[in-house]
Amino acid sequence: MIFLKGEGKYMSKPTVFTLAGDCKNFVFSNLGVLKEHAKMIFPAVLLLELINALGNSYGMIWVQLVTVIPVLFLYACFAMSWHRVSLMGVNSARPVNPFQLEKGDLGFVGLFFGFMFLPSLAAIPVIAIMVLVAAVLGKFSEGMAVIFVLITIPFVVWGIIAVIRLGFMLPARSVGVKLTFREALRSSQGVLWPLVGTVMLFSLMYLIPLLIYGLVIAMVIGAAALGGSATPMGLGYHLAQFVITVPVLAVNFIFTAMNITALSRAYQWGIKNNPIEAA
């Protein structure tokens, strides 16, 4: 059984900075390819965000609940498309058409949704225990809340690490390889912490455009308030907010691609250096 198409990039285990630097360079050297792979997905995301803005302007908050699934679906298609670019090369991977998926693509999409909702499902038992204890004692004090938080933190950290390790199934599935849970955990050995560090580094880098976004929003709100042309619940306010969101969403696609490449590179190294024998 073949688990990897192509050779791993690193002869020795990558560090956080070598992995992050490689992923950043790969994405920014292929922005034209990134644009090609996002040309059908990004406009669809913008359309859904516009629908959300219109819904908010008319007080229909439920619209965001309706659009969350198609938004996640579009990001799943982009993740699958860019995993293939990272693993197969810029000239070998065709852009994924979210409106015309090929055979086997739905397996990746389903796996992607599973990872998106897994943390929420894992939180249900903790919440249930908290409610049960509160019901037995007749109250839920602040002291109990602190104790529950302290108890929960180790489980949350363990859960995040487990999800990242199992996430190695995603790049594999993007090229038609079905890893089991055991195989995914094995392939993450030795490269987990460089990957975690890289994701954290990219997250810090992403704070810069988010801060710019917040400052622009504050300026728009201030200008609208002084001019009296928009109210916090008016159509103009929400449309202005949507327009400001557009460049941030574009930057979000770039940083998403960098994280996807990081996972693909980690998968390549892990599967090569932790060989899995076929049953």
Side-chain angles (χ1 to χ4, degrees):
M1 181 182 295
I2 299 175
F3 287 91
L4 175 63
K5 294 184 178 182
E7 293 295 328
K9 182 174 181 61
Y10 308 103
M11 296 300 293
S12 58
K13 185 173 72 173
T15 65
V16 172
F17 292 105
T18 56
L19 180 59
D22 168 49
C23 297
K24 178 185 71 68
N25 292 336
F26 179 80
V27 172
F28 280 90
S29 320
N30 296 287
L31 289 178
V33 179
L34 176 60
K35 180 179 178 181
E36 186 70 17
H37 281 256
K39 67 179 181 181
M40 287 186 289
I41 297 174
F42 184 64
V45 171
L46 289 183
L47 177 60
L48 291 170
E49 291 296 332
L50 177 59
I51 292 173
N52 286 338
L54 294 174
N56 289 335
S57 67
Y58 290 102
M60 297 183 293
I61 308 300
W62 54 267
V63 171
Q64 297 186 41
L65 298 177
V66 175
T67 58
V68 66
I69 297 299
V71 167
L72 285 177
F73 169 76
L74 291 171
Y75 272 98
C77 292
F78 177 70
M80 176 168 50
S81 192
W82 199 252
H83 270 307
R84 290 173 178 172
V85 172
S86 301
L87 292 171
M88 302 168 60
V90 294
N91 297 320
S92 301
R94 294 185 303 168
V96 171
N97 184 347
F99 309 105
Q100 191 177 1
L101 295 181
E102 298 180 359
K103 184 179 179 181
D105 289 349
L106 289 178
F108 180 94
V109 173
L111 191 62
F112 182 91
F113 270 84
F115 281 111
M116 289 296 101
F117 290 110
L118 185 61
S120 299
L121 295 176
I124 293 177
V126 176
I127 296 174
I129 292 174
M130 294 174 65
V131 172
L132 179 61
V133 171
V136 171
L137 299 179
K139 61 178 181 178
F140 193 78
S141 65
E142 293 182 1
M144 292 173 58
V146 172
I147 292 174
F148 269 111
V149 169
L150 293 177
I151 294 175
T152 303
I153 288 176
F155 291 98
V156 171
V157 173
W158 176 84
I160 293 174
I161 293 174
V163 168
I164 293 176
R165 294 185 68 186
L166 292 175
F168 280 60
M169 298 171 68
L170 288 172
R173 181 63 67 91
S174 72
V175 291
V177 175
K178 297 180 180 180
L179 292 184
T180 65
F181 287 163
R182 181 185 63 83
E183 291 166 346
L185 294 176
R186 180 182 177 89
S187 65
S188 67
Q189 292 177 5
V191 77
L192 172 64
W193 294 114
L195 175 60
V196 171
T198 297
V199 172
M200 293 176 63
L201 184 60
F202 287 161
S203 298
L204 290 175
M205 293 171 60
Y206 188 58
L207 285 177
I208 296 176
L210 283 183
L211 289 174
I212 295 175
Y213 170 75
L215 290 174
V216 173
I217 284 288
M219 292 173 59
V220 170
I221 292 176
L226 290 175
S229 59
T231 63
M233 293 303 294
L235 177 61
Y237 170 84
H238 289 286
L239 288 179
Q241 193 175 42
F242 164 74
V243 171
I244 295 171
T245 304
V246 172
V248 177
L249 288 174
V251 173
N252 183 49
F253 263 72
I254 294 176
F255 278 89
T256 299
M258 289 165 60
N259 281 291
I260 291 171
T261 299
L263 181 57
S264 291
R265 292 286 194 261
Y267 162 73
Q268 281 185 310
W269 187 91
I271 206 70
K272 181 178 179 181
N273 291 275
N274 301 293
I276 302 168
E277 296 181 359

